[in-house]
């Protein structure tokens, strides 16, 4: 219906458009005519007011008729295809609906069938479930009985092996039983677990007692333990002596059999643990045969160093520490040569010497944890205990190769209460040592002053003693188990450096009236030495590691600026940079004071030289031999004496800074106060150049190859003042011309003038009096 209406409307529009041009053109006004506006525009465009254009009407009619036919065909095509598509879609929908209805009927049928089947099978399922539960229960009981049977079978095997004295097989069977017990550790069968554990414990005790007795007997034949340093390894004579080879064979057999009991020993035994506050690193239990070997030494240790024995003295920790070290040394050879091969052949990775040492160290830790609590408030005894423990720790690592990752004495000292006390005592003793070293008569003298190779930095005794103190503190805390504790000691060292710097500053101020005195220069050498050594320490791997830890701490606490964190991370600064900067500031301040003091003396000696009659001095040709100006002698003598004095008292780097600073000041002083303040004739200019190049400059030739390069103002001023008249006039014309600045500079460079600017040269030209009279 819609297609028909569209076609009819379209036909009307076309007929209407074709018929309109035939109407009276008078009525073509769009405001008064019934014709659509676009028709009027079409006629106006195609025909207009030219009547000759009416000839086009027939062609227009044909054209419009063709367009009409084309539109009719499109409309017919659309109207014919649309119903077909709609019909196809309707057919698909009907088919789908039919299929869906069929599926729903089928689903209802199947669902009803299933429901009926489930209702019928419910009773069967209940009966089958009960039977299944019974089967599961029987299977659990059967499995339980199998475990018990297996355990009893292993237990019978152990018993039979022991009856036939086959200890090795009995130990192997116990290992199998222990492995089964380990598998049951997470089981909820409490009674079964208790049964197998008690069985393991029963046979373990029997085997352990038997093997321990035999093992101890073999050890006693070998004189174990070795109390003396030269204990022989031959067996003790007896009524039925056995050969050494047989004893060592028995040793290997028993050791290996005891080693098999290790797994059961770990299962049923709970080794004694140190309190958690000591934060000891986890380590496996000491293997059973080594425990037995340690037993007589443990008894001796507790006998002598516990209770009311005369050898148990709080003030003598070195007694038990030395005794333990002796035991380690006495048994090293035996452990390495006899025990280690047994462990290797048994496929064990245990190090016999390390295991034995670990057992003795645990004795020391138990003793230390008790004694140190009694000495917390006695500074002398506490400090002595720490010293002895640190010596013991060093010997343990260097001589006996004890690993720092294992429990050691540093873990006891790191306990918060003990560590804080240690830090306090360390600070107190360090400050007392600083007082002592600064008050010593030899504090400011160097013990290496007669050895030039050693005394290059000329550091005083107090500075060396102080840095040795810091180095000793580093050695004492470098083996602490945690980096946080090391950072605490690092802060202590930085505080001590700052305290020492303040003390040096105070002494320096007291010596400020005698800046050239021995003590002032010694203080300067000390400051330079400490700053240099701290700079070297900053590149040490130990302090670089601490710097990384400090960076992490600063990042966590946000205690530093982003710039400081970035500099720490990029290694642009070190952990000592704050201290080094303060020391450098003090050093530069002292150098400035010293140079200023010497410079004032030199200026005082130059008073007459500044007033020299440079205008009336005879020319070089009028003198037989040029000689130093007499007025310059006081200045040069003072300068020479002070340079020699400072060279002897200051180290090379400091003295180099002093003479370079002094040369810079002298250069400006002579240029401004002597040259620019006077006028020069030819003789005066020549005399000035002679005084400078042949007398002043050579004073510094001992310290550098070209001293004149440190007096550029004076050297170049002498060049300008001593130019021949002709050359001077040519240069003056160039400088006064309109030439570019670069050309003027090039002209000066040709004469060797690089420091002075063209305007400075013009000022120097005005100081010359030997210009020809040109009438200008």
């Amino acid at each position: 219906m819609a297609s028909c209406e569209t076609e009819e409307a379209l036909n009307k529009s076309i007929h209407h458009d074709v018929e309109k041009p035939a109407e009276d053109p008078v009525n073509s006004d769009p405001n008064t005519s019934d014709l659509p506006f676009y028709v009027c525009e079409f006629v106006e465009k195609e025909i207009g007011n030219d009547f000759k254009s009416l000839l086009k009407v027939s062609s227009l009619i044909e054209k419009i008729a063709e367009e009409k036919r084309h539109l009719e065909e499109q409309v017919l095509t659309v109207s014919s295809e649309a119903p077909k598509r709609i019909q196809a879609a309707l057919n698909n929908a009907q088919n789908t609906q039919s299929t869906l209805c069929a599926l729903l009927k089928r689903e209802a049928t199947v669902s009803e069938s299933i429901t009926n089947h489930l209702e019928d099978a419910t009773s069967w399922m209940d009966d089958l479930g009960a039977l299944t539960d019974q089967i599961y229960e029987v299977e659990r009981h059967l499995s339980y009985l199998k475990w018990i049977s297996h355990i009893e079978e292993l237990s019978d095997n152990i018993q039979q092996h022991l009856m036939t004295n086959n200890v090795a097989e009995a130990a192997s069977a116990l290992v199998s039983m222990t492995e089964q017990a380990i598998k049951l550790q997470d089981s909820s069968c409490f009674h079964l677990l208790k049964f197998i554990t008690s069985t393991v414990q029963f046979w373990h005790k029997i085997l352990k007692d038997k093997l321990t007795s035999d093992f101890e007997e073999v050890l006693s034949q070998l004189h174990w333990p070795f109390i003396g340093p030269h204990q022989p390894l031959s067996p003790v004579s007896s009524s039925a002596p056995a050969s050494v080879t047989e004893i060592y064979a028995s040793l290997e057999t028993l050791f290996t059999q005891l080693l098999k009991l290790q797994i059961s020993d770990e299962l049923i035994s709970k080794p004694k643990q140190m309190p958690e506050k000591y934060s000891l690193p986890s380590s496996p239990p000491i293997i059973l045969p080594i425990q037995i070997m340690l037993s007589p030494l443990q008894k001796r240790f507790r006998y002598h160093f516990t209770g009311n024995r005369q050898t148990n003295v709080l003030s003598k920790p070195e007694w038990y520490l030395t005794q333990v070290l002796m035991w380690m040394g006495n048994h090293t050879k035996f452990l390495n040569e006899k025990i280690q091969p047994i462990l290797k052949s048994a496929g064990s990775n245990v190090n016999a010497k390390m295991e034995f040492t670990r057992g003795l160290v645990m004795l020391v830790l138990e003793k230390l944890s008790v004694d140190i609590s009694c000495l917390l408030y006695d500074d002398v005894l506490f400090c002595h205990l720490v010293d002895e423990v640190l010596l013991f720790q060093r010997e343990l690592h260097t001589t006996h190769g004890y690993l720092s990752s294992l429990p050691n004495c540093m873990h006891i000292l790191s306990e918060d209460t003990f560590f804080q006390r240690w830090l306090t005592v360390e600070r107190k003793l360090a400050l007392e040592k600083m007082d002592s070293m600064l008050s010593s008569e030899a504090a400011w003298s160097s013990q290496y002053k007669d050895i030039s190779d050693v005394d290059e930095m000329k550091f005083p005794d107090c500075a060396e003693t102080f840095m040795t103190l810091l180095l000793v503190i580093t050695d004492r805390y470098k083996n602490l188990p945690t980096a946080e504790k090391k950072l605490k000691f690092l802060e202590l060292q930085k505080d001590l450096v700052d305290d020492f710097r303040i003390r040096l500053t105070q002494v320096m101020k007291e010596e400020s009236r005698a800046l050239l005195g021995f003590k002032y220069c010694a203080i300067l050498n000390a400051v330079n030495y400490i700053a240099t050594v701290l700079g070297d320490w900053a590149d040490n791997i130990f302090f670089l590691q601490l710097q990384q830890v400090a960076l992490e701490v600063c990042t966590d606490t946000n205690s530093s600026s982003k710039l400081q964190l970035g500099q720490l991370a990029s290694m642009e600064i070190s952990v000592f940079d704050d201290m080094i900067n303060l020391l450098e500031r003090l050093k530069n301040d002292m150098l400035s004071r010293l140079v200023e003091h010497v410079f004032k003396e030199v200026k005082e000696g130059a008073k007459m030289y500044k007033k020299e009659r440079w205008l009336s001095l005879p020319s070089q040709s009028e003198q037989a031999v040029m000689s130093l100006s007499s007025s310059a002698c006081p200045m040069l003598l003072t300068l020479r004496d002070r340079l020699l004095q400072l060279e002897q008292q200051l180290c090379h780097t400091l003295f180099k800074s002093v003479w370079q600073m002094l040369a810079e000041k002298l250069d400006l002083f002579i240029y401004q106060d002597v040259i620019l303040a006077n006028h020069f004739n030819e003789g005066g200019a020549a005399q000035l150049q002679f005084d400078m190049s042949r007398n002043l400059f050579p004073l510094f030739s001992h310290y550098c190859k070209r001293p004149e390069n440190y007096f550029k103002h004076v050297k170049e001023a002498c060049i300008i003042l001593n130019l021949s008249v002709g050359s001077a006039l040519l240069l003056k014309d160039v400088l006064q011309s309109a030439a570019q600045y670069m050309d003027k500079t090039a002209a000066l460079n040709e004469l060797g003038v690089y420091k002075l600017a063209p305007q400075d040269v013009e000022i120097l030209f005005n100081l010359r009096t030997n210009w020809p009279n040109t009438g200008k």
Side-chain angles (χ1 to χ4, degrees):
M1 182 67 69
S3 300
C4 294
E5 291 176 355
T6 302
E7 183 178 0
E8 182 179 357
L10 183 62
N11 290 332
K12 288 181 179 180
S13 176
I14 293 173
H15 289 300
H16 182 66
D17 290 345
V18 174
E19 293 172 356
K20 288 301 180 181
E23 293 182 359
D24 189 358
V26 176
N27 296 328
S28 61
D29 186 356
N31 296 323
T32 59
S33 176
D34 294 334
L35 293 174
F37 182 73
Y38 64 85
V39 175
C40 296
E41 284 186 344
F42 176 79
V43 173
E44 183 68 25
K45 178 181 178 182
E46 297 294 335
I47 299 176
N49 297 326
D50 187 4
F51 292 103
K52 294 180 179 181
S53 299
L54 293 173
L55 296 174
K56 301 179 180 179
V57 171
S58 59
S59 62
L60 287 173
I61 293 172
E62 292 177 358
K63 180 179 179 182
I64 293 172
E66 181 65 26
E67 291 180 354
K68 176 186 175 185
R69 283 194 299 273
H70 181 67
L71 291 172
E72 287 175 348
E73 291 176 357
Q74 289 181 344
V75 170
L76 289 174
T77 301
V78 172
S79 63
S80 62
E81 289 182 355
K84 292 180 180 179
R85 294 179 181 178
I86 293 171
Q87 187 63 39
L90 288 173
N91 292 336
N92 289 334
Q94 290 174 355
N95 293 334
T96 303
Q97 185 177 11
S98 300
T99 304
L100 179 62
C101 291
L103 288 174
L104 288 173
K105 291 179 180 179
R106 185 179 177 186
E107 184 271 338
T109 303
V110 173
S111 177
E112 183 180 359
S113 175
I114 292 173
T115 303
N116 294 333
H117 179 74
L118 290 175
E119 289 176 355
D120 295 340
T122 300
S123 59
W124 297 352
M125 290 296 296
D126 293 340
D127 296 339
L128 183 61
L131 291 174
T132 305
D133 291 340
Q134 291 176 7
I135 291 172
Y136 288 156
E137 186 69 17
V138 170
E139 286 180 347
R140 285 196 297 269
H141 291 169
L142 182 60
S143 176
Y144 197 93
L145 292 174
K146 284 182 178 179
W147 272 104
I148 294 176
S149 175
H150 183 56
I151 295 167
E152 289 179 343
E153 181 182 353
L154 289 173
S155 181
D156 291 341
N157 289 339
I158 295 173
Q159 184 176 11
Q160 290 175 7
H161 290 314
L162 287 178
M163 290 175 66
T164 58
N165 203 26
N166 191 348
V167 180
E169 291 299 326
S172 299
L174 179 60
V175 170
S176 299
M177 186 185 295
T178 307
E179 290 174 349
Q180 300 302 321
I182 293 174
K183 290 180 181 179
L184 289 174
Q185 288 299 304
D186 296 329
S187 173
S188 59
C189 300
F190 172 77
H191 296 290
L192 177 62
L193 181 60
K194 183 178 180 182
F195 170 68
I196 190 171
T197 303
S198 60
T199 305
V200 169
Q201 187 173 5
F202 173 78
W203 289 117
H204 175 82
K205 184 178 186 306
I206 291 175
L207 284 172
K208 181 179 177 182
D209 291 345
K210 176 175 177 55
L211 292 174
T212 299
S213 176
D214 296 342
F215 191 58
E216 288 176 345
E217 183 179 350
V218 171
L219 289 175
S220 65
Q221 292 177 352
L222 295 172
H223 292 179
W224 185 273
F226 307 144
I227 304 305
H230 304 291
Q231 182 68 31
L233 298 181
S234 58
V236 181
S237 59
S238 62
S239 58
S243 66
V244 176
T245 305
E246 292 175 351
I247 293 178
Y248 280 129
S250 299
L251 175 71
E252 180 176 359
T253 301
L254 293 169
F255 192 97
T256 305
Q257 292 172 353
L258 283 167
L259 198 59
K260 289 182 178 180
L261 300 184
Q262 182 65 31
I263 184 171
S264 56
D265 190 68
E266 292 178 8
L267 178 66
I268 63 177
S269 301
K270 292 184 179 180
K272 184 178 181 181
Q273 298 289 338
M274 296 286 289
E276 293 184 0
K277 65 178 182 178
Y278 297 123
S279 302
L280 295 181
S282 59
S283 56
I286 296 172
I287 59 175
L288 186 56
I290 298 293
Q291 289 183 33
I292 298 171
M293 297 173 74
L294 284 168
S295 180
L297 294 175
Q298 292 170 342
K299 292 178 181 178
R300 287 175 179 269
F301 186 90
R302 293 189 175 99
Y303 176 83
H304 290 291
F305 303 114
T306 58
N308 298 323
R309 302 293 176 186
Q310 294 182 352
T311 48
N312 182 30
V313 183
L314 285 175
S315 61
K316 298 293 183 181
E318 61 270 26
W319 286 358
Y320 69 85
L321 294 174
T322 304
Q323 183 63 70
V324 168
L325 290 174
M326 288 177 60
W327 286 341
M328 293 177 187
N330 293 341
H331 296 88
T332 296
K333 184 177 180 180
F334 180 82
L335 292 167
N336 290 336
E337 294 181 357
K338 302 300 179 182
I339 303 300
Q340 191 61 48
I342 300 175
L343 287 167
K344 185 176 181 181
S345 63
S348 174
N349 295 324
V350 175
N351 184 299
K353 169 68 183 303
M354 192 65 62
E355 199 77 351
F356 182 79
T357 304
R358 186 157 65 95
L360 292 177
V361 169
M362 292 307 297
L363 278 176
V364 173
L365 297 187
E366 293 174 11
K367 171 69 174 172
L368 178 61
S369 63
V370 174
D371 286 3
I372 195 171
S373 302
C374 303
L375 302 176
L376 274 179
Y377 303 103
D378 190 321
D379 289 351
V380 176
L381 292 182
F382 183 85
C383 186
H384 177 64
L385 174 64
V386 172
D387 290 342
E388 292 299 329
V389 167
L390 293 175
L391 289 174
F392 171 80
Q393 195 72 18
R394 181 184 301 176
E395 184 73 12
L396 201 60
H397 289 293
T398 56
T399 303
H400 301 284
Y402 192 73
L403 301 178
S404 57
S405 58
L406 295 174
N408 58 69
C409 298
M410 301 305 289
H411 292 96
I412 304 297
L413 293 180
S414 296
E415 194 274 329
D416 290 341
T417 304
F418 304 153
F419 179 79
Q420 192 58 45
R421 185 59 181 161
W422 179 18
L423 203 61
T424 302
V425 172
E426 201 77 40
R427 183 188 301 274
K428 177 182 177 182
L429 294 178
L431 293 175
E432 291 176 356
K433 184 69 174 176
M434 288 164 58
D435 291 335
S436 175
M437 69 177 71
L438 288 174
S439 60
S440 171
E441 294 182 358
W444 305 108
S445 60
S446 173
Q447 56 179 321
Y448 307 111
K449 59 184 177 181
D450 298 328
I451 310 174
S452 58
D453 294 340
V454 179
D455 197 36
E456 182 181 352
M457 298 194 72
K458 298 182 179 178
F459 47 84
D461 188 64
C462 64
E464 183 189 20
T465 306
F466 176 70
M467 295 312 294
T468 303
L469 172 65
L470 292 184
L471 186 61
V472 169
I473 292 176
T474 303
D475 289 337
R476 289 161 72 85
Y477 79 82
K478 68 188 302 183
N479 291 320
L480 282 169
T482 62
E484 290 75 11
K485 294 290 193 294
K486 294 177 184 178
L487 284 178
K488 295 288 186 182
F489 264 97
L490 179 62
E491 290 300 320
L492 168 62
Q493 287 180 304
K494 293 168 70 173
D495 291 344
L496 293 176
V497 172
D498 195 49
D499 189 273
F500 195 72
R501 177 189 62 83
I502 293 173
R503 294 174 187 236
L504 291 178
T505 304
Q506 293 171 346
V507 179
M508 180 269 291
K509 291 180 179 180
E510 295 174 359
E511 298 295 323
S512 58
R513 296 181 181 178
L515 296 179
L516 295 173
F518 169 74
K519 185 178 289 189
Y520 186 89
C521 293
I523 297 171
L524 189 50
N525 286 330
V527 173
N528 179 69
Y529 172 70
I530 295 172
T532 302
V533 174
L534 290 179
D536 294 339
W537 285 3
D539 296 328
N540 184 282
I541 185 65
F542 174 72
F543 290 109
L544 289 176
Q545 291 172 346
L546 282 188
Q547 179 171 339
Q548 182 62 32
V549 177
L551 174 64
E552 296 172 1
V553 172
C554 292
T555 304
D556 294 339
T557 59
N558 295 323
S559 59
S560 300
S561 66
K562 292 184 178 179
L563 175 61
Q564 288 175 321
L565 292 176
Q567 290 174 330
L568 276 173
S570 62
M571 300 298 178
E572 292 181 14
I573 62 174
S574 69
V575 291
F576 293 112
D577 261 30
D578 292 342
M579 297 297 100
I580 293 175
N581 292 336
L582 291 173
L583 290 167
E584 288 291 335
R585 188 182 304 172
L586 175 59
K587 181 183 78 173
N588 294 332
D589 179 60
M590 294 182 69
L591 283 174
S592 299
R593 290 170 180 247
L594 186 60
V595 171
E596 189 62 34
H597 178 78
V598 175
F599 180 62
K600 285 183 179 179
E601 289 189 353
V602 174
K603 282 176 62 176
E604 188 68 24
K607 283 184 177 180
M608 297 303 298
Y609 193 65
K610 290 165 52 177
K611 299 177 181 179
E612 184 70 52
R613 300 179 61 190
W614 304 103
L615 277 171
S616 58
L617 292 178
S619 64
Q620 188 173 358
S621 60
E622 296 175 1
Q623 301 182 54
V625 178
M626 292 286 289
S627 61
L628 174 65
S629 299
S630 59
S631 58
C633 290
M635 174 184 71
L636 296 179
L637 286 173
T638 302
L639 180 61
R640 181 200 65 182
D641 294 342
R642 294 298 177 242
L643 287 175
L644 290 174
Q645 181 181 358
L646 293 175
E647 185 181 16
Q648 293 176 355
Q649 295 181 349
L650 295 177
C651 69
H652 175 72
T653 55
L654 290 177
F655 177 68
K656 182 179 180 181
S657 299
V658 166
W659 73 255
Q660 289 180 354
M661 293 168 65
L662 192 56
E664 182 181 357
K665 284 182 168 292
L666 278 174
D667 181 41
L668 291 175
F669 167 70
I670 295 175
Y671 177 70
Q672 294 174 354
D673 290 28
V674 177
I675 298 176
L676 295 183
N678 291 282
H679 288 75
F680 297 84
N681 64 358
E682 182 182 351
Q687 184 64 48
L688 176 68
Q689 187 173 30
F690 180 82
D691 292 343
M692 298 296 103
S693 62
R694 300 294 296 275
N695 294 278
L696 176 62
F697 298 166
L699 285 178
F700 293 86
S701 62
H702 299 291
Y703 319 123
C704 63
K705 293 181 178 180
R706 299 182 64 84
E708 63 273 10
N709 289 338
Y710 292 91
F711 295 88
K712 291 183 178 179
H713 289 91
V714 173
K715 181 184 74 170
E716 295 179 4
C718 289
I719 292 174
I720 298 300
L721 292 176
N722 285 278
L723 277 178
S724 63
V725 175
S727 300
L729 287 173
L730 289 175
L731 180 60
K732 191 173 185 181
D733 289 341
V734 172
L735 296 179
Q736 293 178 350
S737 66
Q740 294 184 359
Y741 184 84
M742 295 297 296
D743 296 333
K744 298 178 181 180
T745 304
L748 291 175
N749 292 345
E750 290 180 3
L751 297 174
V753 177
Y754 299 93
K755 183 75 173 177
L756 299 179
Q759 56 269 29
D760 297 327
V761 175
E762 291 184 11
I763 294 173
L764 291 173
F765 276 149
N766 293 331
L767 301 179
R768 292 178 54 142
T769 61
N770 57 333
W771 296 108
N773 188 5
T774 59
K776 293 183 181 180

